[in-house]
């Protein structure tokens, strides 16, 4: 498994300013080349840590979630990473080793490590290794519903979850599902989609779910609203609700991306 991880730095003064960044009403495209030192943020409660904030709820953009790439240097971390009550989260590690203490249990997450952190869970993070660790942190305000229990936290790995081939694709398109789609206790899914070279989404998906889509491996041409955009490992796409989307995977290796979507809740009108 391969997981792209940004390293920061700055381009030389001789570099051209032209890049692939796009911001439109229906979507935002953030290429890997803009994830530089100058656009990082510190996080309250963390030590020896920096982050790239990819998505946040703002008018005219995503409204349901926030997504960050977090890099912790050796010796850094946080005893109380989540400061807001009622917020759930997912952590997915792309580089290094991240120590997650969840309740009374200690887990060391290496690349491919995945943790769902239930609202109200007690957890902390530390980098006890010799090099930096990097991970995605997706946060969402949990939406409770009567008669359905709040989901419990769990830890797993990409390598331990068998991808499920999508119907009628002969394995060209598969999804690694970390949560049972029929479990109504979960109001968000963070999965991994995998396309073999030449695989595609063969129709323009147009749906109510928002997406945060980070390319972990490979390259493709992605349909975003009425644009076809080339993307590669390290690029990020934020899709508003009802933004049409499709893709063709290219290149010699699988095209894989980490995918957020909000699910399993009625539309609130009052």
């Amino acid at each position: 498994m391969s997981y792209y991880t940004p390293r920061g730095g700055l381009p030389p003064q001789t570099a051209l300013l032209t890049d692939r960044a796009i911001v439109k009403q229906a979507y935002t495209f953030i290429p890997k080349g803009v994830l530089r030192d100058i656009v990082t943020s510190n996080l309250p409660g963390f030590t020896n840590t920096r982050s790239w904030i990819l998505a946040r709820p703002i008018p005219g953009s995503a409204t349901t979630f926030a997504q960050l790439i977090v890099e912790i240097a050796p010796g850094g971390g946080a005893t109380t990473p989540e400061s807001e009550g009622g917020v759930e989260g997912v952590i997915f590690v792309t580089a290094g080793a991240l120590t997650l203490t969840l309740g009374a249990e200690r887990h060391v997450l290496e690349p491919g490590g995945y943790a769902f952190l239930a609202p109200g869970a007690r957890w902390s993070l530390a980098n006890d290794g010799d090099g930096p660790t990097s991970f995605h942190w997706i946060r969402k305000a949990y939406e409770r519903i009567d008669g359905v229990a709040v989901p419990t936290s769990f830890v797993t790995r990409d390598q331990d979850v068998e991808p499920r081939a999508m119907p009628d694709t002969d394995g060209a398109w598969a999804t690694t599902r970390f949560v049972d789609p029929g479990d109504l206790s979960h109001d968000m899914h963070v999965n991994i989609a995998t396309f073999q070279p030449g695989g595609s989404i063969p129709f323009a998906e147009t749906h109510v779910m928002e997406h945060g889509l980070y390319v972990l491996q490979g390259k493709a041409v992605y349909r975003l609203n009425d644009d076809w955009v080339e993307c590669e490992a390290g690029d990020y796409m934020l899709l508003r609700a009802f933004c049409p989307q499709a893709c063709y995977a290219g290149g010699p290796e699988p095209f894989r991306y980490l995918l957020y979507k909000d699910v399993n809740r009625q539309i609130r009108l009052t």
Side-chain angles (χ1 to χ4, degrees):
M1 302 275 183
S2 174
Y3 308 106
Y4 186 89
T5 302
R7 298 300 182 189
L10 288 173
Q13 290 288 294
T14 54
L16 296 177
L17 300 181
T18 306
D19 208 330
R20 298 173 295 129
I22 306 168
V23 178
K24 294 192 174 183
Q25 184 175 1
Y27 71 90
T28 295
F29 183 86
I30 302 176
K32 66 180 183 181
V34 306
L35 299 181
R36 302 291 186 173
D37 294 350
I38 198 170
V39 296
T40 59
S41 296
N42 297 323
L43 297 176
F46 283 77
T47 58
N48 298 335
T49 299
R50 63 178 183 172
S51 69
W52 287 276
I53 298 175
L54 302 175
R56 56 170 288 186
I58 58 174
S61 182
T63 60
T64 60
F65 76 110
Q67 184 164 352
L68 306 81
I69 298 175
V70 182
E71 180 186 275
I72 303 179
T79 56
T80 310
E82 183 52 74
S83 59
E84 288 192 80
V87 173
E88 61 190 325
V90 163
I91 283 175
F92 182 79
V93 177
T94 62
L98 178 69
T99 300
L100 165 68
T101 302
L102 181 56
E105 296 186 359
R106 181 177 178 273
H107 307 268
V108 177
L109 305 181
E110 296 181 330
Y114 180 109
F116 170 74
L117 305 162
R122 293 184 299 105
W123 55 284
S124 63
L125 297 174
N127 181 354
D128 297 323
D130 297 328
T133 183
S134 185
F135 59 94
H136 286 256
W137 182 13
I138 296 170
R139 304 171 60 237
K140 181 182 183 297
Y142 183 70
E143 187 176 345
R144 297 175 183 264
I145 52 177
D146 293 340
V148 176
V150 175
T152 57
S153 302
F154 65 87
V155 175
T156 184
R157 299 192 312 156
D158 177 21
Q159 297 88 334
D160 295 336
V161 180
E162 188 71 21
R164 302 182 190 178
M166 299 295 285
D168 304 319
T169 64
D170 196 25
W173 173 13
T175 303
T176 303
R177 303 182 188 278
F178 297 98
V179 170
D180 179 359
D183 184 352
L184 290 180
S185 68
H186 286 275
D187 66 349
M188 74 169 179
H189 291 164
V190 179
N191 299 324
I192 295 176
T194 300
F195 294 85
Q196 300 305 318
S200 70
I201 297 176
F203 70 106
E205 294 188 35
T206 308
H207 50 63
V208 70
M209 288 86 78
E210 295 181 337
H211 279 335
L213 192 163
Y214 179 82
V215 182
L216 298 168
Q217 179 184 1
K219 65 177 183 177
V221 180
Y222 220 93
R223 167 77 180 273
L224 299 170
N225 198 23
D226 54 358
D227 301 320
W228 286 95
V229 180
E230 285 190 292
C231 60
E232 63 180 343
D235 292 342
Y236 181 75
M237 290 166 267
L238 186 153
L239 283 61
R240 280 62 144 174
F242 302 109
C243 175
Q245 60 171 299
C247 76
Y248 287 97
E253 61 180 337
F255 173 60
R256 306 186 80 219
Y257 54 78
L258 188 71
L259 177 69
Y260 160 89
K261 63 179 178 180
D262 50 311
V263 295
N264 295 340
R265 293 297 183 267
Q266 180 59 282
I267 303 303
R268 291 186 172 184
L269 301 178
T270 60

